[in-house]
């Protein structure tokens, strides 16, 4: 298991990572500098370097991992902004308390109870339950799955892994790790690096390097329809097929040789049983099969597309942390209801800076990050409402119709 961090090679085959083996598998065979730095903000630098030195190896002709040159890590790690940012974070949050708190656990338990109650009446062919079911499913799953996939649900690797199984209708875990954790989070909005820029390129154009066609002319009208099938046909079906082909995910993310592809088959069978077979068996009505997934997909897209795909969130900066800020957008960051509805995705700036921190802690640190950005004259993108954020996304979509 060979990786590259800051131009040095490491053999992590015998390393027992405290966060489990999945982070190592994500780093295998690639330059993992961005992955490493974004998940070790709370670690003492000298201790990290001492541990890594034990696994450092000499590069040879048989090992060739290209360097990522998207960010200047010397400037990133030594800039005044980064030093102040780390000081603020370490003063406000302690490593042992950065995962889900007891309050967050109780909240998730309540959401699970609401979901189960809704599920019971949904299986009774209750139409009110049908209307509410996608919302209760979305809110429950987004509050757990997203944090779990970033190892932010618990310090226990097993609990994080278990958490990723709560929302397989989101995406198969193999696909999600490549698309979201490796690709999107490390290289947000970077052309030819961020896979989120290349979902359905035939019908949606988000960057100038996607060749314009006749369908893009009407994308400001059709994007809402695409949102309804984005999860089942995009993240699920297309992600599954592309991963099986062994090609870079969405053209840009090299697939890990260490992650087990076979899990995709088991997960896909579960999703088909859970979202298609069982609903029809209990209700004998097709609307109880199709509507929940369509509505769930629409909710997913509402909460995710507004975070980065707006006209004022496309700026490349050589400082990794500043780049994350410039290319992200918060939405009503101090609203508790918005925080529950989006599973903390409304605090996108803080989440991209601190992916391993549970979203329940981000509201606490958000004002301090905003003040730091103001001090250093860094653009801090924030919408006061969901409607405002959706409008900004619409203007971005409209921009690429011509």
């Amino acid at each position: 298991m060979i990786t590259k961090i800051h131009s040095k090679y490491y053999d992590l085959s015998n390393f027992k990572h405290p966060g489990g083996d999945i982070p190592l598998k994500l780093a295998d065979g690639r330059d993992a500098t961005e992955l490493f730095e974004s998940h070790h903000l709370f670690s003492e630098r000298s201790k990290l370097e001492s541990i890594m030195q034990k696994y450092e190896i000499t590069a040879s002709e048989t090992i060739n991992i290209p360097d990522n040159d998207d960010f200047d890590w010397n400037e990133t790690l030594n800039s005044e902004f980064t030093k102040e940012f780390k000081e603020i974070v370490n003063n406000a949050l302690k490593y042992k308390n950065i995962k889900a708190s007891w309050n967050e656990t109780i909240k998730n338990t309540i959401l699970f109870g609401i979901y189960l109650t809704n599920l019971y009446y949904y299986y009774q062919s209750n139409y009110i339950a049908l209307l509410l079911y996608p919302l209760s499913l979305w809110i429950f799953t987004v509050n757990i799955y997203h944090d779990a996939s970033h190892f932010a649900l618990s310090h226990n690797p097993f609990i994080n892994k278990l958490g990723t199984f709560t929302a397989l209708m989101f995406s198969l875990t193999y696909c999600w790790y490549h698309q979201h954790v490796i690709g999107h989070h490390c290289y947000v909005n970077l052309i030819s690096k961020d896979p989120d820029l290349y979902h359905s390129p035939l019908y949606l154009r988000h960057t100038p390097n996607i060749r314009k066609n006749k369908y893009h002319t009407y994308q400001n009208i059709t994007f809402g329809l695409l949102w309804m099938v984005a999860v089942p046909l995009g993240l699920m079906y297309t992600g599954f097929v592309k991963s099986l082909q062994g090609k870079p995910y969405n053209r840009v993310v090299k697939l890990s040789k260490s992650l087990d592809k076979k899990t995709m088959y088991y997960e896909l069978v579960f999703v088909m049983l859970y979202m298609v077979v069982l609903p029809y068996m209990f209700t004998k009505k097709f609307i109880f099969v199709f509507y929940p997934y369509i509505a769930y997909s629409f909710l997913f897209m509402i909460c995710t597309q507004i975070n980065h795909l707006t006209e004022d969130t496309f700026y490349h900066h050589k400082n990794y942390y500043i780049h994350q800020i410039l290319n992200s957008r918060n939405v009503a960051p101090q609203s508790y209801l918005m925080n529950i509805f989006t599973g903390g995705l409304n605090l996108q700036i803080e989440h991209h800076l601190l992916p391993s921190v549970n979203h329940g802690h981000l509201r606490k640190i958000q004002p301090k990050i905003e003040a730091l950005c103001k001090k250093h004259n860094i653009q801090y993108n924030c919408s006061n409402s969901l409607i405002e954020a959706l409008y900004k996304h619409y203007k971005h979509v409209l921009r690429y119709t011509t």
Side-chain angles (χ1 to χ4, degrees):
M1 191 176 292
I2 309 298
T3 190
K4 194 176 189 181
I5 299 172
H6 292 303
S7 300
K8 295 181 179 180
Y9 286 88
Y10 300 90
D11 184 350
L12 303 177
S13 304
N14 298 316
F15 177 49
K16 302 299 181 183
H17 191 276
D21 61 347
I22 291 180
L24 301 182
K25 291 178 179 179
L26 301 185
D28 185 25
R30 71 181 81 249
D31 185 332
T33 303
E34 287 77 17
L35 273 172
F36 172 80
E37 290 293 347
S38 62
H39 286 84
H40 290 91
L41 272 171
F42 297 91
S43 303
E44 187 179 335
R45 198 75 192 182
S46 59
K47 185 178 180 180
L48 275 178
E49 292 173 352
S50 175
I51 294 173
M52 293 171 64
Q53 193 173 20
K54 299 175 184 178
Y55 300 93
E56 186 176 349
I57 60 174
T58 303
S60 68
E61 293 181 1
T62 59
I63 307 171
N64 183 24
I65 300 176
D67 278 327
N68 289 333
D69 58 359
D70 300 291
F71 304 106
D72 182 339
W73 280 102
N74 182 56
E75 194 278 335
T76 296
L77 295 175
N78 295 295
S79 73
E80 287 303 312
F81 172 82
T82 301
K83 291 176 182 177
E84 290 184 47
F85 162 61
K86 289 187 175 183
E87 183 180 359
I88 287 172
V89 169
N90 281 280
N91 287 338
L93 304 169
K94 302 303 178 184
Y95 176 70
K96 66 177 182 178
N97 298 323
I98 64 173
K99 308 305 180 183
S101 64
W102 277 110
N103 287 340
E104 193 69 19
T105 303
I106 292 170
K107 182 198 78 174
N108 289 336
T109 303
I110 293 172
L111 293 177
F112 183 51
I114 293 172
Y115 161 68
L116 286 180
T117 303
N118 197 163
L119 181 67
Y120 171 79
Y121 288 103
Y122 165 71
Y123 280 156
Q124 304 302 312
S125 300
N126 183 293
Y127 280 91
I128 295 178
L130 170 65
L131 290 173
L132 295 176
Y133 177 62
L135 181 62
S136 67
L137 177 62
W138 162 254
I139 292 177
F140 165 62
T141 55
V142 72
N143 276 274
I144 294 179
Y145 179 88
H146 184 238
D147 279 327
S149 70
H150 285 289
F151 325 109
L153 188 61
S154 170
H155 284 296
N156 187 318
F158 176 76
I159 293 177
N160 286 323
K161 191 170 185 179
L162 193 64
T164 61
F165 294 141
T166 60
L168 295 177
M169 63 290 298
F170 233 50
S171 173
L172 306 177
T173 53
Y174 180 91
C175 303
W176 184 256
Y177 282 132
H178 285 93
Q179 178 232 315
H180 188 71
V181 181
I182 298 174
H184 169 68
H185 256 262
C186 291
Y187 310 108
V188 57
N189 281 359
L190 284 182
I191 292 175
S192 299
K193 282 294 186 72
D194 183 355
D196 278 6
L197 301 178
Y198 302 100
H199 291 302
S200 305
L202 178 63
Y203 302 104
L204 272 178
R205 183 170 179 252
H206 289 303
T207 71
N209 75 326
I210 295 177
R211 184 177 298 176
K212 189 176 182 297
N213 64 41
K214 61 182 180 180
Y215 300 113
H216 298 146
T217 304
Y218 308 102
Q219 68 178 25
N220 61 312
I221 300 171
T222 60
F223 79 98
L225 297 175
L226 292 172
W227 281 15
M228 296 180 185
V229 295
V231 170
L233 294 185
L235 289 176
M236 292 295 297
Y237 174 75
T238 305
F240 176 72
V241 171
K242 287 181 178 178
S243 296
L244 287 183
Q245 291 174 343
K247 299 177 181 178
Y249 191 90
N250 269 15
R251 309 186 201 176
V252 296
V253 182
K254 177 185 175 183
L255 298 184
S256 169
K257 294 180 180 179
S258 299
L259 280 177
D260 188 3
K261 284 186 181 181
K262 289 185 293 186
T263 58
M264 290 196 299
Y265 295 101
Y266 308 133
E267 293 174 1
L268 192 60
V269 169
F270 171 81
V271 171
M272 292 301 294
L273 286 171
Y274 188 69
M275 298 297 290
V276 179
V277 177
L278 287 178
Y280 187 74
M281 283 177 58
F282 278 98
T283 66
K284 298 296 189 294
K285 297 181 177 71
F286 281 111
I287 191 172
F288 279 77
V289 176
F290 295 111
Y291 166 75
Y293 221 158
I294 290 172
Y296 184 89
S297 178
F298 199 78
L299 289 169
F300 173 90
M301 296 300 282
I302 284 177
C303 294
T304 59
Q305 301 308 287
I306 57 177
N307 295 324
H308 306 285
L309 299 175
T310 61
E311 60 182 352
D312 48 3
T313 51
F314 274 85
Y315 300 101
H316 182 204
H317 200 285
K318 281 294 184 178
N319 182 306
Y320 174 81
Y321 298 113
I322 295 177
H323 178 87
Q324 300 296 321
I325 295 168
L326 293 175
N327 288 273
S328 302
R329 171 174 296 281
N330 282 357
V331 182
Q334 290 301 313
S335 167
Y336 185 63
L337 288 178
M338 184 63 71
N339 194 255
I340 292 178
F341 174 59
T342 64
L345 297 178
N346 65 313
L347 289 155
Q348 196 66 196
I349 291 174
E350 289 69 31
H351 168 60
H352 264 256
L353 291 172
L354 304 162
S356 61
V357 174
N358 187 272
H359 76 268
H361 302 292
L362 297 181
R363 281 198 307 153
K364 172 184 176 182
I365 202 170
Q366 182 270 327
K368 298 178 182 179
I369 299 299
E370 184 174 6
L372 178 65
C373 290
K374 184 176 181 180
K375 175 183 177 181
H376 288 269
N377 198 29
I378 296 169
Q379 179 175 304
Y380 187 91
N381 303 301
C382 185
S383 293
N384 294 321
S385 69
L386 182 61
I387 298 298
E388 179 188 335
L390 285 168
Y391 177 65
K392 286 185 174 293
H393 173 68
Y394 176 79
K395 290 178 69 176
H396 161 79
V397 173
L398 184 64
R399 172 188 178 188
Y400 284 102
T401 60
T402 59

